[in-house]
């Protein structure tokens, strides 16, 4: 898909900070989406599809409800064995009441592991974990897995956990948006809409979240047609061209 786009269309490390809409000066499009990035760039486009994940800025702008706590969280890590590990190259899962753990070697030296668990009480309002609780303290996360959540798991798994690269540990609450909030929420406003976790955050239960994305992207590509042509000029363009706003960028 990237090869089909004009050079420079895809920009990396571009954090969206705010969104607005404005009329297109030549009337060729009812409204343009105006996106501001944290480096000061301004992008005008005929369509804005927010795929910015569970904490989506675009979903918030549309007025969709904040994601709710699923009552569960997931700890993830990457174990590193500089001299190589002897773990068989297969996915192994360990199930117990309220817990699902797994590990899979991704190279001769690295093993990915996870522990999905019920540590956030279900039925209560969304729990906002502090930075420390949610992943700011790697030693605390490791202790929580080896001494508490996973203390009954096989020693082979715990050994993998202990070999974790401290910079690659996360412990995050699993969030979702209730189906009725998706059905009744405003998923589009003018040229702005959302897709993926920004619209319907997925938990890691049926491996469906990542899977649906290629299908969704393909459908959108088919339905949106040629949106890569330059957006029509607006009255503000002249102002920004004159240098009142820095780094203006048009698309
Ligand atoms: C623990 C866990 C395990 C999972 N395991 C699986 C699995 O095995 N199989 C599966 O199919 N699905 C799995 N899922 C679900 C899957 O990961 C998601 O459904 C999928 O990643 C959603 O893709 P997305 O592109 O919508 O959002 P994301 O993958 O969250 O991507 C959002 C992107 O937007 C960027 N972004 C965020 N804010 C801004 C901003 N303001 N400006 C610019 N960019 C921004 C982020 O940096 C990120 O790159 C799992 C989910 C979790 C939480």
């Amino acid at each position: 898909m990237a090869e089909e786009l004009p050079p420079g269309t895809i920009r990396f490390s571009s954090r969206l900070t705010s969104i607005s809409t404005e009329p297109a000066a030549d009337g060729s499009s009812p409204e343009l989406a105006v996106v501001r990035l944290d480096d000061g760039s301004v992008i005008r486009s005929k369509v804005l599809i927010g795929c910015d994940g569970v904490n989506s800025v675009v979903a918030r702008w549309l007025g969709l409800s904040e994601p709710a706590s699923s009552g569960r969280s997931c700890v993830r890590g990457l174990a590193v064995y500089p001299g190589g590990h002897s773990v068989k190259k297969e996915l192994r899962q360990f199930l117990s009441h309220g817990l699902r753990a797994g590990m899979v070697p991704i190279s001769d030296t690295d093993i990915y592991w996870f522990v999905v668990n019920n540590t956030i009480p279900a039925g209560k309002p969304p729990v906002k974990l502090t930075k420390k609780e949610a992943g700011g303290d790697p030693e605390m996360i490791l202790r929580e897995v080896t001494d508490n959540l996973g203390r009954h798991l096989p020693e082979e798994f715990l050994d993998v956990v202990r070999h974790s690269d401290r910079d690659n540990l996360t412990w995050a609450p699993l969030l979702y948006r209730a189906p009725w909030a998706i059905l009744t929420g405003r998923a589009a406003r003018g040229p702005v809409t959302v897709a993926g976790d920004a619209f319907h955050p997925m938990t890691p239960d049926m491996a469906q979240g990542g899977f649906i994305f290629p299908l969704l992207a393909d459908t959108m590509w088919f339905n949106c047609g040629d949106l890569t042509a330059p957006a029509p000029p607006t009255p503000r363009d002249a102002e920004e061209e004159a240098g009142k706003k820095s780094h203006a960028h048009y698309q």
Side-chain angles (χ1 to χ4, degrees):
M1 285 172 74
E3 283 170 9
E4 298 293 320
L5 297 168
T9 303
I10 298 179
R11 297 166 49 137
F12 294 96
S13 303
S14 303
R15 183 154 286 276
L16 165 65
T17 53
S18 72
I19 306 161
S20 58
T21 56
E22 63 187 33
D26 63 2
S28 62
S29 176
E31 265 186 326
L32 295 180
V34 184
V35 168
R36 289 183 170 74
L37 306 180
D38 61 358
D39 65 357
S41 306
V42 179
I43 298 175
R44 293 192 161 75
S45 64
K46 294 177 191 167
V47 173
L48 167 62
I49 303 169
C51 304
D52 48 344
V54 66
N55 295 309
S56 169
V57 175
V58 183
R60 206 165 291 133
W61 185 83
L62 286 169
L64 288 172
S65 63
E66 286 296 315
S69 169
S70 68
R72 299 179 299 144
S73 65
C74 182
V75 190
R76 284 176 288 178
L78 189 68
V80 180
Y81 295 75
H85 60 75
S86 54
V87 175
K88 205 170 162 191
K89 285 195 175 148
E90 62 182 15
L91 169 66
R92 292 182 60 194
Q93 290 206 67
F94 310 96
L95 303 174
S96 68
H97 185 70
L99 182 140
R100 182 165 63 94
M103 62 185 203
V104 59
I106 57 171
S107 72
D108 290 339
T109 54
D110 300 345
I111 302 174
Y112 167 73
W113 63 266
F114 65 88
V115 178
V116 179
N117 62 90
N118 285 350
T119 52
I120 298 174
K124 292 197 173 171
V127 178
K128 285 222 162 75
L129 293 180
T130 65
K131 191 159 188 266
K132 198 165 184 184
E133 286 166 323
D137 183 347
E139 296 304 333
M140 193 203 77
I141 296 176
L142 281 191
R143 264 202 315 278
E144 182 65 19
V145 174
T146 55
D147 300 355
N148 183 24
L149 295 173
R151 64 184 184 283
H152 55 293
L153 292 173
E155 185 52 35
E156 186 185 2
F157 179 80
L158 296 179
D159 182 66
V160 168
V161 171
R162 288 189 198 100
H163 276 82
S164 295
D165 170 7
R166 297 331 190 229
D167 292 334
N168 270 310
L169 273 170
T170 60
W171 183 10
L174 297 177
L175 306 176
Y176 77 109
R177 183 166 283 125
W180 47 91
I182 293 173
L183 285 172
T184 57
R186 196 172 184 179
R189 197 162 118 198
V192 182
T193 189
V194 274
D197 274 20
F199 187 30
H200 43 75
M202 301 293 225
T203 54
D205 300 307
M206 291 162 59
Q208 75 282 54
F211 168 73
I212 61 167
F213 230 76
L215 301 175
L216 192 60
D218 196 46
T219 309
M220 284 188 167
W221 188 262
F222 184 75
N223 286 319
C224 286
D226 182 15
L227 294 169
T228 56
T234 72
R236 286 205 198 156
D237 286 351
E239 186 187 315
E240 286 177 1
E241 283 287 277
K244 286 192 178 168
K245 289 190 176 164
S246 61
H247 315 302
H249 177 87
Y250 303 90
Q251 213 174 48

